[in-house]
Amino acid sequence: MSQNKKNKVIKIEQVSDGYKIFYETPQKNLLAYTIHYGLLNFTEKELANTNKIGDYNAVYIEDSIIYAKDMSLWEKLVYIMIKSYCNINYEAYPSIELLENAAGHSHTTIIEAIDKLAEKGTIFAIRSRRRNGTDQRYINNLYKFKKANDSEYLTYIPLNLVFCRSLNINSKMLYIFLLAKAKNGYMVTVTKEELKEYLCVRTWDTVKKHIEILHRLGFIYTYCNTTKGPEKEKGIRFLLRRICPKELMITDEDIENIIGTEAVS
């Protein structure tokens, strides 16, 4: 889904049936193509994940968790991972090994994040089952979640990202942050400073590395600077791919039907 890196994306605009992407070729020609809204939705094949519960391919997460200043990125991700196993009673009981193996993150890191979440009252953890013999680690925890406030916005996060073993914590949380900013749309504009602050990094090059990884894996369709001149370094516009309701989901064959390229006058 990523565009050839030799073509520089200049601008992204929303049009009646989707988004128009303007780009410059190595020969300095300005061209554009349109991608329909539906082609920005993940397909069933892309959403396939052995960690999904029942027919769930995504989990609703409170924006207050995503934006929380007093929670680390690890705490936020572990909260999201555990909540993806939640039942209708707001309870979940995945084992630490299941979380560790599913997402590829370390046992110790997950335990530490759970302890922090429990200390803050973000989740209520009941540790009730120990292993046999000399191994005194817990097999299962029971986690209880608070019901989200009816007035709070919830962001729908795909599990193929949450449990992606090819992505580290920063890349995962960057995409989740962009999803929350985009609300129900596909296009979002944020500043470089916002992104650096959210990921707690000092240099833009570090953020750009995560953007490029998400771009290559198809979570970010494309992106560009939003302004020209002295302000150009401040704003970045992203066109995201995201999950949609199953009845609107396209097939993999539909991806082939992108509208042709046209010259810009």
Side-chain angles (χ1 to χ4, degrees):
M1 295 299 295
S2 301
Q3 297 303 311
N4 191 320
K5 290 186 177 180
K6 293 181 180 179
N7 295 327
K8 182 181 179 182
V9 176
I10 303 298
K11 184 170 59 172
I12 307 166
E13 288 184 352
Q14 189 168 13
V15 292
S16 60
D17 58 347
Y19 295 91
K20 198 165 190 177
I21 294 125
F22 298 83
Y23 65 96
E24 187 181 76
T25 68
Q27 295 75 33
K28 302 300 181 181
N29 295 320
L30 185 60
L31 303 175
Y33 64 93
T34 301
I35 181 166
H36 191 271
Y37 295 116
L39 294 178
L40 291 168
N41 296 324
F42 289 118
T43 65
E44 289 188 43
K45 181 179 179 181
E46 290 171 316
L47 287 170
N49 191 296
T50 56
N51 304 293
K52 67 182 180 182
I53 304 302
D55 291 325
Y56 294 115
N57 287 304
V59 58
Y60 282 107
I61 298 296
E62 307 91 324
D63 278 9
S64 60
I65 295 293
I66 296 172
Y67 297 141
K69 299 285 188 181
D70 63 340
M71 290 176 63
S72 69
L73 297 181
W74 275 113
E75 289 168 44
K76 293 175 184 180
L77 181 62
V78 170
Y79 177 94
I80 294 168
M81 289 167 57
I82 296 173
K83 195 166 187 181
S84 70
Y85 290 93
C86 213
N87 59 29
I88 59 174
N89 296 317
Y90 300 97
E91 295 178 344
Y93 39 89
S95 68
I96 303 301
E97 283 77 8
L98 178 60
L99 298 175
E100 178 185 3
N101 295 332
H105 302 306
S106 77
H107 187 105
T108 301
T109 303
I110 293 172
I111 289 289
E112 289 176 351
I114 291 170
D115 287 342
K116 291 290 185 182
L117 290 168
E119 286 174 14
K120 295 172 183 175
T122 308
I123 60 173
F124 181 60
I126 303 173
R127 294 170 174 172
S128 57
R129 294 180 59 200
R130 285 189 180 274
R131 299 169 184 273
N132 296 323
T134 59
D135 190 344
Q136 292 298 299
R137 291 181 299 173
Y138 292 95
I139 299 176
N140 287 85
N141 293 342
L142 171 63
Y143 306 96
K144 294 186 178 182
F145 292 82
K146 300 173 185 176
K147 183 178 180 180
N149 191 310
D150 291 338
S151 63
E152 181 167 15
Y153 188 85
L154 303 176
T155 296
Y156 204 41
I157 300 172
L159 298 187
N160 65 331
L161 172 102
V162 175
F163 293 106
C164 180
R165 298 179 66 91
S166 302
L167 291 173
N168 64 22
I169 174 68
N170 293 75
S171 296
K172 290 180 180 182
M173 292 309 302
L174 170 61
Y175 177 75
I176 290 169
F177 176 75
L178 293 175
L179 276 184
K181 286 284 186 181
K183 299 305 181 189
N184 288 323
Y186 299 93
M187 187 169 67
V188 61
T189 301
V190 295
T191 67
K192 291 185 176 182
E193 288 304 316
E194 281 183 279
L195 296 175
K196 289 195 297 182
E197 180 182 357
Y198 188 77
L199 296 181
C200 300
V201 298
R202 294 181 179 180
T203 66
W204 172 248
D205 286 344
T206 302
V207 181
K208 189 175 180 182
K209 178 185 70 175
H210 298 303
I211 292 172
E212 289 172 347
I213 292 171
L214 289 166
H215 186 203
R216 186 176 71 248
L217 293 179
F219 290 96
I220 294 173
Y221 184 83
T222 193
Y223 61 97
C224 65
N225 288 329
T226 58
T227 55
K228 296 180 180 179
E231 299 295 311
K232 70 178 182 179
E233 296 301 317
K234 294 186 177 180
I236 304 293
R237 176 162 291 174
F238 296 91
L239 190 58
L240 307 177
R241 298 187 64 230
R242 64 184 308 151
I243 190 172
C244 72
K246 190 171 183 178
E247 60 271 16
L248 299 178
M249 205 172 289
I250 58 171
T251 65
D252 291 299
E253 290 71 24
D254 291 329
I255 297 262
E256 307 289 331
N257 301 322
I258 297 178
I259 298 174
T261 299
E262 58 190 42
V264 178
S265 56

